[in-house]
Amino acid sequence: MKYLLKSLQYSQHKWKICGDLKMISILLGLQAGYTKHPCFLCLWDSRADDRHYTQISWLPRTSFTPGFKNVKFAYLVDPQNILLPPLHIKLGLMKNYTKALDKDGPTFKFLQMKFPRISEAKLRAGVFDGP
């Protein structure tokens, strides 16, 4: 990735980067795979299952120090030049919204009526894309 950015002369152009969340994590030096702190914006604890969907605010990530909070390498691009990918955000919000819904409530029934081709299992899991 460092070679690619050098070939594109990124240091001269300082372009904004919008990409897949995994690519953004790589550019910011985060460790890949199942990690405790996978978010590049905050210190969301992926292993704290009891606090998911109940804790609203997580501490913001203030630094990208290698060896601390799943940061493996120094970042390759300035975090200020990262644009968040809107489609990932939209699908992620929809997924989290449907997971938090009461599965027997009127809102869930409305979603079932509006998306009749999506199976109930996919709807309960919050999957609105794919085959």
Side-chain angles (χ1 to χ4, degrees):
M1 200 47 75
K2 187 186 280 188
Y3 178 73
L4 181 63
L5 291 173
K6 187 177 179 182
S7 297
L8 292 171
Q9 298 177 345
Y10 175 78
S11 59
Q12 291 176 358
H13 300 293
K14 298 288 186 198
W15 290 313
K16 301 286 186 188
I17 294 177
C18 181
D20 158 292
L21 295 176
K22 190 173 188 176
M23 182 56 62
I24 291 172
S25 293
I26 290 170
L27 290 171
L28 293 177
L30 292 179
Q31 179 180 346
Y34 182 67
T35 60
K36 186 173 182 178
H37 302 285
C39 183
F40 60 92
L41 296 174
C42 65
L43 294 174
W44 174 66
D45 187 351
S46 67
R47 297 180 186 161
D49 291 335
D50 57 331
R51 292 187 291 169
H52 294 177
Y53 304 108
T54 57
Q55 183 172 344
I56 296 170
S57 180
W58 297 85
L59 292 174
R61 187 180 285 275
T62 55
S63 68
F64 290 94
T65 309
F68 184 68
K69 302 285 187 188
N70 293 107
V71 178
K72 197 169 183 178
F73 307 105
Y75 55 83
L76 299 173
V77 298
D78 183 12
Q80 299 299 319
N81 289 337
I82 300 286
L83 300 174
L84 298 177
L87 182 60
H88 281 261
I89 293 170
K90 183 178 179 180
L91 291 175
L93 287 174
M94 284 300 296
K95 179 180 172 185
N96 290 339
Y97 174 74
T98 56
K99 280 186 174 183
L101 282 176
D102 176 22
K103 304 301 186 230
D104 298 320
T107 308
F108 193 77
K109 301 279 188 234
F110 177 79
L111 285 175
Q112 284 179 318
M113 183 182 71
K114 282 294 183 187
F115 298 99
R117 296 183 63 187
I118 296 178
S119 69
E120 186 174 342
K122 278 191 172 185
L123 197 57
R124 284 183 185 272
V127 177
F128 287 93
D129 64 336

